[in-house]
Amino acid sequence: MRKPAPTDRPIHPLLAERWSPYAFTGEDVDEADLLALFEAARWAASSYNAQPWRFILARRREPGAFERALSCLVPFNQSWARHAPVLALGLVHGGSAAGGSPIPVAAHDLGLAAASLTVEATHRGLAVHQMSGIAADRIRGAYALPEDVLPVTALAIGYAAAPEATPEEWRERQVRPRERRRLAELVFEERWGEPAAFLAGEPED
Ligand SMILES: Cc1cc2nc3c(=O)[nH]c(=O)nc-3n(C[C@H](O)[C@H](O)[C@H](O)COP(=O)(O)O)c2cc1C
C-alpha cells in the first residue's frame, strides 16, 4: 500500500512516499534489503563522526529473539508491531569523540541514521514505523546494556498492508490522511513565531 504525502509542492518521491503503517503484509524482508537499510544508516552524518547510533535487530522468523524485542515496547506498540517481520531497537552510545555531554546530539544523530534507513527502505518498497513508545528499563535488562548506552526508539520494518488486508482494529489508522503543520508555523526569520518572508503567498490550508 502507498500513502504519498499531499505536499504543497513537488519534493523527491522517496520523501513523499515514506509513511508509518500500522499493518504489514506477512512477507518477510530479504537479507540483502535488510543489509542495505543498515548500510544506509551507517553512512549518515554525525557530530564529530562519532556514529553514536546502535541497533538491536529482531526478526519474526526467530520467535525467541522477536518476542524479547517486542516485549521492550509499550503495550500499544506491541499490539500492532507484533505483525511486522522485522523490529529494530535504536540506541545511542554515550561515548563522544569530543568528551562533553553527548546525549542530545547523539539522539539527533540516531534520528539521522533512522532517516537514512527509512529512505533506503522506501526505495526498496519497504515501510518503517518508528516508535518512541519503548520500555527503556526493560531493554536495559533484556540486553544487559552498558551504562553509557541509552535506548531511544524502536523501528518496525516491513511491507505495508493494503486497507482490505488490514485488521479492522488498525484500519482507520492505516488509511487516515497524512497531515502536517503549515510551513509558516515552522520557518521564521525576523522574529520568533513570524513566518519567514519567503513564505508570503503560501497556501493557508
Ligand atoms: C521518533 C518517533 C517516535 C514515534 N513514536 C511512535 C510510537 O511510539 N507509536 C506510534 O504508533 N507511532 C509513533 N511514531 C509515528 C508517528 O506518529 C508518525 O511518524 C506521524 O504520525 C506522521 O506519520 P507518517 O510517518 O505516516 O508521515 C513515531 C515517529 C517518530 C519519528
Side-chain angles (χ1 to χ4, degrees):
M1 174 190 171
R2 296 176 50 229
K3 198 157 91 168
T7 59
D8 288 342
R9 51 181 44 75
I11 60 172
H12 196 288
L14 284 178
L15 301 176
E17 292 280 342
R18 183 219 58 80
W19 69 291
S20 306
Y22 279 90
F24 298 89
T25 70
E27 198 181 339
D28 199 0
V29 180
D30 259 21
E31 204 112 302
D33 286 325
L34 210 47
L35 278 165
L37 264 53
F38 289 101
E39 184 69 5
R42 178 178 169 235
W43 285 100
S46 61
S47 176
Y48 292 97
N49 199 19
Q51 304 155 65
W53 48 76
R54 300 289 183 274
F55 297 100
I56 294 174
L57 183 69
R59 311 189 65 177
R60 206 146 76 93
R61 67 183 188 194
E62 289 156 15
F66 191 82
E67 278 305 318
R68 180 147 71 125
L70 190 68
S71 73
C72 293
L73 308 182
V74 298
F76 171 78
N77 285 334
Q78 284 188 32
S79 60
W80 59 266
R82 68 172 59 254
H83 303 292
V86 177
L87 287 177
L89 304 175
L91 312 96
V92 294
H93 194 273
S96 151
S101 170
I103 292 302
V105 76
H108 172 91
D109 292 345
L110 171 64
L112 294 181
S116 291
L117 182 154
T118 300
V119 170
E120 185 66 35
T122 309
H123 168 60
R124 289 165 187 270
L126 285 157
V128 179
H129 192 145
Q130 301 176 59
M131 292 162 260
S132 56
I134 57 168
D137 288 346
R138 200 184 281 257
I139 298 175
R140 189 165 293 290
Y143 296 94
L145 299 184
E147 266 196 17
D148 66 343
V149 172
L150 184 74
V152 181
T153 52
L155 302 88
I157 305 168
Y159 296 93
E164 57 277 13
T166 297
E168 175 71 31
E169 188 186 357
W170 302 111
R171 198 165 304 147
E172 189 279 324
R173 286 176 183 270
Q174 189 80 342
V175 303
R176 70 185 173 193
R178 299 184 57 203
E179 290 170 351
R180 287 299 187 269
R181 295 177 191 277
R182 292 175 303 115
L183 272 185
E185 294 180 59
L186 308 177
V187 187
F188 312 141
E189 198 165 2
E190 294 280 335
R191 251 185 233 89
W192 176 260
E194 276 185 18
F198 82 132
L199 293 173
E202 276 296 284
E204 284 289 314
D205 252 343

